[in-house]
Amino acid sequence: MRTALITGITGQDGQYLAEVLHEEGYKVYGLIKGQRNPKAEMITTGFPFVELVEGDLQDLSSLIAALEYTQPNEVYNLGAISFVALSFKQAELTANITGLGVLRLLEAIRLVGGADNPIRFYQASSSEMFGKVRETPQSELTPLHPRSPYGVAKLYAYWITINYREAYGMFACNGILFNHESPRRGENFVTRKITKGLTRVHAGLQECLYLGNIDACRDWGHAKDYVEMQWRM
């Protein structure tokens, strides 16, 4: 039986990816920070095939311990401070988790894995790395110019993944994901903000729905399709 460890297991991608891997016959572990994480019960109740293990992207020793316990064939790093607006208010935390957290996870994989126990690594990179776009549509050769602390942290994670692949011969890949949504999306993201707000307006609980830049254009996919791509990579 193949084994996979997912960080960010409580997010929409983590949930859908756990289901895809389970259907493919994997033993699935989910990394979660702290024993009293309020989202842990959601996973243990809704996804009983997932075994949660404690670990923190800010703590290398905890990542090594999690890898030694789970002995995964594959690691999917979906964990991050992923709300762009929040990254401006918590820039240091964003850099530490979204950026340096990937370095720690790669280093843990290098130390625990090896020729006898190769571990494949997937990093969830982001279209936010393009930022101030130079061309449309973007490709893997488009210059990267991030315009938020989140985008900058993701850019560091992108390049450190490439560096570990080239320096140590590790199987380490980046998926540059554009916007993808689902009913499992967090309520601080615009799609859920709109659906929740319209429901409250319809129920008479509020009069208006307030948004930021309504001129922004996005092309959305469904998260379930994106996580299948992650597994195939």
Side-chain angles (χ1 to χ4, degrees), residues 93-170:
L93 181 64
T94 299
N96 200 4
I97 295 177
T98 306
L100 288 175
V102 181
L103 168 63
R104 296 186 189 100
L105 190 50
L106 284 164
E107 184 65 6
I109 290 172
R110 185 182 72 85
L111 294 172
V112 175
D116 297 330
N117 182 32
I119 300 173
R120 295 188 172 201
F121 177 74
Y122 170 85
Q123 165 61 17
S125 294
S126 171
S127 61
E128 287 290 327
M129 299 187 305
F130 291 116
K132 187 176 181 179
V133 296
R134 312 288 180 85
E135 59 187 14
T136 301
Q138 293 86 55
S139 75
E140 291 174 320
L141 300 179
T142 301
L144 301 170
H145 188 158
R147 307 195 76 183
S148 68
Y150 169 77
V152 173
K154 280 289 187 180
L155 185 57
Y156 175 84
Y158 171 80
W159 278 112
I160 200 64
T161 299
I162 293 172
N163 181 257
Y164 266 69
R165 180 175 67 238
E166 295 178 346
Y168 300 111
M170 295 169 56

Side-chain angles (χ1 to χ4, degrees), residues 26-39:
Y26 282 70
K27 168 64 178 175
V28 182
Y29 292 94
L31 191 77
I32 196 161
K33 180 182 177 181
Q35 296 178 347
R36 297 183 180 180
N37 191 308
K39 295 183 178 179

